[in-house]
Structures are given as structure tokens and as C-alpha cells.
Amino acid sequence: MKIYDVKDPEFAEYGRVVEGIDVSPILKVMNEKLPCPESGTQYVAEEPLLQGLPEADAISLSLFGGIPAQFGWCNGHNTKLNCFEYHRNSEYNLGTEDFILLLAKESEIHDFKIDSSVTKAFKIPAGVLVEVYATSLHYAPCQASKDKGFKTLVVLPRGTNVGVPEAKSGSTEDPLLRMTNKWLIAHPEAKEAKDGAFVGITGPNIDIADSI
């Protein structure tokens, strides 16, 4: 699978590089104090060690215009697509190591199904903060090398991914609502599908292991 650089023009449809923000205090905490599982991934919606940084409030103001934000992380090892998720807002990511995002567009969902062939892979260099637009489908990051995992910052509006709402509006989208502000479409092979997530990714479950 071709892996694009985040600075390639193809990324402009999915997100942007955020410049001018000093992220070094965040990277220091992530490097020194956050764990990286030896296998699989671990996600924490809100990390007190990051949330308590003075820089967090300033960054929240810049990124979300004053809406309270939560600073969490997704760390570990992964090379597969497994699922697509989306929120009603952008998500911001930052890695201590190079990492890869597998992305698609919400407009490529048809009748709540999406073919995995539309997926594009983008490599995000270590220390580069990126915005992933609300219309971009994404999920857990992937490692950029065979022998090294990733530590990735995840910044979202506060309250995202922290509860399981019971949607009762009757909207046909309701079955996709997996957690607060999180709509998810799973591949049949993903463990999320076995846990009751909505299954709607067709085609192969993309694995970039041979591309890194």
C-alpha cells in the first residue's frame, strides 16, 4: 500500500499540519511518563499528566476556540485498519515517533457501508501536530516501522469517548453510535465487530505490515 507523506497534497482533503504551537512539554510527558504496550493498543480519553500541563489550556483555546478539550493518548503497536470512526469535530494528533494514519472520507460511506479500497495511508513525522478533519474517517494509529511502536496524543472536545449513550431518536445512523461523540463502522474481522459494533467495512481488512 502506498504511504503518503503528511506534506503531500493528498493530505489536504483529510487534514492539515498545525504550525506555531510549542508541543515540546507534551512530548516530554508522553516520552517519559506514558506507557507503550508491547502488543495491541491502549487508549486513554483524558490523561491527567497531560491535562494538567499549563500548555493544555492555551492549546485548547487555539485548537477548539475555547471549547473545553481533553488530552488523551493512544499508544502501542498496530498495522491494521479494523474500523473507521468519526466525530462531530476535528481530532488532533501528535506522535513521539513517526506514525501512520489510515484515512477515508465520510462522503465515501454509502448506506452505512464503505469499501476498504478507498483507504489512504499518511505518515506523520514525530513531533508534528496534525488536525484530522471531522469529515475524515480514522481509527487507531499504525506504527511506521516494524520494530517500534507509537505514542500518539489524541485531543478531542471534553466528553468524547467517555460514555455509552443510548440513542433513541430513530435516526438510521443511531446503530453506529458507539460512545459519546463517536460513530464507528467495523470490519467483520475486527474484535469490535465481535463486541457488537456496527459492521460496515467491506473488502480486505487492510494491513500495512508489508509496507513499513
Side-chain angles (χ1 to χ4, degrees):
M1 183 176 191
K2 180 175 181 178
I3 299 176
Y4 294 92
D5 188 272
V6 71
K7 294 183 180 179
D8 289 339
E10 285 81 2
F11 187 64
E13 295 185 76
Y14 302 89
R16 69 180 180 103
V17 173
V18 180
E19 299 178 331
I21 293 178
D22 180 13
V23 296
S24 55
I26 292 174
L27 290 171
K28 179 177 175 62
V29 170
M30 292 173 65
N31 266 315
E32 297 179 358
K33 298 184 178 181
L34 299 185
C36 183
E38 294 184 4
S39 63
T41 61
Q42 182 180 356
Y43 172 71
V44 172
E46 185 171 321
E47 170 57 60
L49 292 173
L50 296 172
Q51 203 73 40
L53 290 172
E55 293 80 9
D57 287 338
I59 291 174
S60 295
L61 183 59
S62 294
L63 300 186
F64 288 112
I67 295 174
Q70 64 188 29
F71 287 68
W73 50 269
C74 183
N75 299 350
H77 295 75
N78 177 50
T79 60
K80 291 186 176 182
L81 173 63
N82 290 321
C83 298
F84 277 129
E85 70 175 0
Y86 58 96
H87 314 291
R88 296 297 192 227
N89 49 266
S90 293
E91 176 178 312
Y92 293 87
N93 297 137
L94 167 73
T96 61
E97 308 286 346
D98 295 354
F99 66 99
I100 293 169
L101 292 177
L102 299 179
L103 304 176
K105 292 178 283 190
E106 192 174 348
S107 61
E108 293 169 319
I109 300 173
H110 303 287
D111 295 324
F112 304 117
K113 304 286 184 181
I114 184 168
D115 194 286
S116 63
S117 64
V118 302
T119 306
K120 285 187 170 62
F122 294 93
K123 184 177 180 179
I124 319 298
V128 172
L129 179 65
V130 296
E131 176 182 2
V132 179
Y133 297 146
T135 52
S136 296
L137 307 176
H138 58 281
Y139 202 49
C142 294
Q143 62 205 66
S145 62
K146 294 185 184 297
D147 59 352
K148 188 179 291 186
F150 56 85
K151 292 184 179 181
T152 305
L153 176 75
V154 179
V155 186
L156 287 159
R158 184 164 290 173
T160 301
N161 290 334
V162 297
V164 183
E166 188 175 347
K168 297 180 179 179
S169 71
S171 168
T172 54
E173 189 188 29
D174 285 350
L176 281 64
L177 186 59
R178 184 72 171 170
M179 298 188 77
T180 49
N181 193 27
K182 173 183 179 141
W183 290 260
L184 186 135
I185 301 175
H187 190 278
E189 296 177 1
K191 63 179 179 60
E192 289 84 350
K194 298 177 178 62
D195 291 338
F198 180 87
V199 176
I201 299 178
T202 59
N205 187 16
I206 289 174
D207 190 338
I208 63 168
D210 293 334
S211 300
I212 58 176

